[in-house]
Amino acid sequence: QRVGLMAAGLVLAACGKQEPPAPAPVASAPEAASAPAPTPAKVYVVGTDAAYAPFESQNDKAEIVGFTIDVVSAVAQKAGFEVKFVNTPWEGIFNSLQQGDRDLLSSSITITEERKQTMDFSAPYFDAVQLIAVKADSKVARFDDLKKLKVGVQTGTTGDEVVTKLLGKTSSNVKRFESTPLALKELEAGGVDAVVADNGVVIHYVANNPDAKFKTVSDSSFAPEQYGIAVKKGNTELLDKINKGLADIKADGTYDRIYAKYFGAAPSAAAPAS
Ligand code: ARG
């Protein structure tokens, strides 16, 4: 009986301790009040699919980092606005812009005619091209060799587009994945014969996963692509700021420094100027 009473007392004590949750909203007030913000800059929410190293990915501390993050942060700093990066699955990313959940998207997004119908893009800030990843002992030598093979892509990417075109819309050999790393993992596991994705991400993955024993195969039939930052159609106010910031960081050497940090050389040395 005693034990029962004591237990009851403990339960009551525990209940009493659980009361505090209510004041929680109040607790955030002092934080905001203590923040020294003379002219609070507008904070724009940036959607990015952070499974795309070295462009956008999450580090050990779950912080979103990468080339894109450095570029957009530098652009924002120049243009006088603040940004908050929010990890956003690729498959819902364009919709999140449409719905107003994100103010801009920076996710290694290739500027395409089709996408331009539904959103506005900044000036291009990075050149890319599709690249094939296969096992080191694969006989694949060109894109055409993938016609009868199982090919992994990230759903709804430009890689998906080119592979779907080659294999056919109804082909069950196009294996679509939520993220590019998942497609590459499947290649390692032998579930697909090849993966087609943006060169920068494929090169980074191959270099950092030597145990996967991959090689890359390029093909001159792949069209050149350019990444742009997307805003909601008609949001010229934000787009102008972004383009101004981009031009400024290109002019003052900031862009080249960021580029060299991730890709080891100035863009002009690595790719023909566009
Ligand atoms: N550049 C390609 C495209 O626009 C792939 C981009 C995927 N980006 C990402 N963060 N998953 O379709």
Side-chain angles (χ1 to χ4, degrees), residues 48-52 56 90 107-110 115 130 154 156-159 180 198 225 227:
T48 191
D49 172 26
Y52 217 63
E56 49 268 355
W90 177 257
S107 195
S108 309
I109 303 170
T110 300
R115 290 171 182 168
Q130 294 304 303
Q154 183 178 8
T157 57
T158 44
T180 297
D198 292 4
E225 300 183 25
Y227 295 166

Side-chain angles (χ1 to χ4, degrees), residues 66-112:
F67 173 79
T68 304
I69 281 56
D70 287 2
V71 168
V72 175
S73 300
V75 164
Q77 206 191 341
K78 283 275 178 219
F81 59 87
E82 277 178 34
V83 281
K84 178 180 186 264
F85 294 91
V86 178
N87 196 4
T88 308
W90 177 257
E91 279 176 72
I93 207 163
F94 297 130
N95 202 40
S96 75
L97 185 69
Q98 206 71 41
Q99 298 301 312
D101 296 334
R102 307 287 182 267
D103 297 303
L104 58 143
L105 303 178
S106 197
S107 195
S108 309
I109 303 170
T110 300
I111 303 168
T112 68

Side-chain angles (χ1 to χ4, degrees), residues 54-195:
F55 298 97
E56 49 268 355
S57 63
Q58 282 186 289
N59 66 14
D60 304 340
K61 292 178 237 150
E63 297 158 337
I64 301 176
V65 296
F67 173 79
T68 304
I69 281 56
D70 287 2
V71 168
V72 175
S73 300
V75 164
Q77 206 191 341
K78 283 275 178 219
F81 59 87
E82 277 178 34
V83 281
K84 178 180 186 264
F85 294 91
V86 178
N87 196 4
T88 308
W90 177 257
E91 279 176 72
I93 207 163
F94 297 130
N95 202 40
S96 75
L97 185 69
Q98 206 71 41
Q99 298 301 312
D101 296 334
R102 307 287 182 267
D103 297 303
L104 58 143
L105 303 178
S106 197
S107 195
S108 309
I109 303 170
T110 300
I111 303 168
T112 68
E113 284 309 315
E114 195 190 341
R115 290 171 182 168
K116 276 203 239 168
Q117 309 298 309
T118 54
M119 64 198 97
D120 289 338
F121 282 98
S122 70
Y125 67 89
F126 194 83
D127 292 334
V129 69
Q130 294 304 303
L131 186 62
I132 303 161
V134 288
K135 288 276 183 73
D137 59 3
S138 167
K139 289 195 178 65
V140 169
R142 62 186 63 79
F143 185 44
D144 212 54
D145 294 340
L146 301 185
K147 251 181 184 154
K148 295 270 158 340
L149 302 179
K150 282 189 194 143
V151 187
V153 295
Q154 183 178 8
T155 310
T157 57
T158 44
D160 186 353
E161 282 172 28
V162 293
V163 169
T164 301
K165 204 167 157 202
L166 180 77
L167 274 66
K169 261 209 161 73
T170 56
S171 172
S172 58
N173 275 344
V174 186
K175 305 291 180 195
R176 297 187 176 87
F177 297 85
E178 228 172 86
S179 76
T180 297
L182 279 178
L184 289 160
K185 287 245 157 59
E186 190 64 9
L187 175 60
E188 194 174 344
V192 294
D193 305 302
V195 166

